[in-house]
Amino acid sequence: ILNMDYRQPLVAEFMTKVKQWDGESLLSFPKPKDEKELATYKLRLKLTLEETFEVFEAVLAHEVYEAVFAPIIKDINAKIEALAISDMEIKPIDLLDSFADQDYVNVGWANIMGMDLGAAFQEVQRSNMTKLDKDGNPIFREDGKLLKSDQYVPPDLVTVYNTTSFKYTQD
């Protein structure tokens, strides 16, 4: 693939190791072909919601976040869980536009905060790969959630921030 983002093969490696993707199969559209694909769409929606609201959590006072936004997340997740195949109408071009726009906004955030997003991504990738057990296998809870193995080392974003970021102001 021409000009593939350098991050995609790294994320693909993680997704295949934790059995979120076989590395080849692509999702169906405009509707998921079965309940398994629907579950994958639901997971990706929930992950997108979680990561989006981490921005809110990072910039708002804890009390405000918990009172105003945490209940919204819980409500949206319940609504995502209730989705059926018939509720889906996947538009790949619109989805690609959303991905590109989200990247653009995130890079903009990193720029105005003086943060090295590439260095942070590399550190998160390193950490994610330590979620696997000593044999390189994922560990799942009975409901299918990926668990962190005893090999897990959290990302050291403090060091990344302190060594690669330009601080405009410090309070």
Side-chain angles (χ1 to χ4, degrees):
I1 297 177
L2 295 177
N3 298 319
M4 179 183 282
D5 186 305
Y6 79 94
R7 300 171 296 180
Q8 284 183 255
L10 297 171
V11 174
E13 176 187 14
F14 177 75
M15 290 177 71
T16 56
K17 294 257 186 197
V18 301
K19 312 220 182 308
Q20 288 181 347
W21 186 39
D22 65 12
E24 295 178 12
S25 300
L26 301 178
L27 293 175
S28 302
F29 61 87
K31 305 269 185 214
K33 69 180 176 195
D34 55 28
E35 291 298 319
K36 184 177 177 186
E37 277 198 2
L38 177 62
T40 299
Y41 274 109
K42 288 179 181 182
L43 172 64
R44 303 315 298 180
L45 287 170
K46 288 179 179 181
L47 291 171
T48 300
L49 179 71
E50 177 183 342
E51 298 308 326
T52 298
F53 275 91
E54 278 187 16
V55 173
F56 287 69
E57 191 173 15
V59 300
L60 297 173
H62 178 74
E63 306 78 39
V64 173
Y65 176 79
E66 286 298 319
V68 178
F69 293 100
I72 294 170
I73 298 165
K74 186 176 180 181
D75 181 55
I76 294 173
N77 270 320
K79 289 176 178 168
I80 290 170
E81 197 52 47
L83 291 172
I85 291 174
S86 61
D87 297 322
M88 306 298 281
E89 187 179 325
I90 298 118
K91 298 169 272 314
I93 303 305
D94 292 347
L95 195 55
L96 183 60
D97 178 60
S98 176
F99 297 155
D101 288 347
Q102 288 175 58
D103 269 3
Y104 209 88
V105 168
N106 290 334
V107 169
W109 263 109
N111 287 347
I112 65 175
M113 296 300 296
M115 298 173 176
D116 184 339
L117 194 55
F121 178 87
Q122 292 288 342
E123 178 58 13
V124 168
Q125 172 69 10
R126 181 209 55 76
S127 172
N128 278 347
M129 296 309 289
T130 69
K131 290 179 180 180
L132 305 170
D133 69 16
K134 64 180 172 35
D135 297 321
N137 297 311
I139 302 168
F140 297 101
R141 197 168 62 191
E142 49 204 46
D143 66 357
K145 177 176 172 38
L146 176 68
L147 299 175
K148 297 170 183 147
S149 78
D150 60 359
Q151 307 294 306
Y152 178 69
V153 178
D156 183 4
L157 294 174
V158 171
T159 298
V160 170
Y161 179 77
N162 287 334
T163 61
T164 67
S165 297
F166 176 80
K167 288 116 187 128
Y168 296 103
T169 61
Q170 289 185 343
D171 294 330

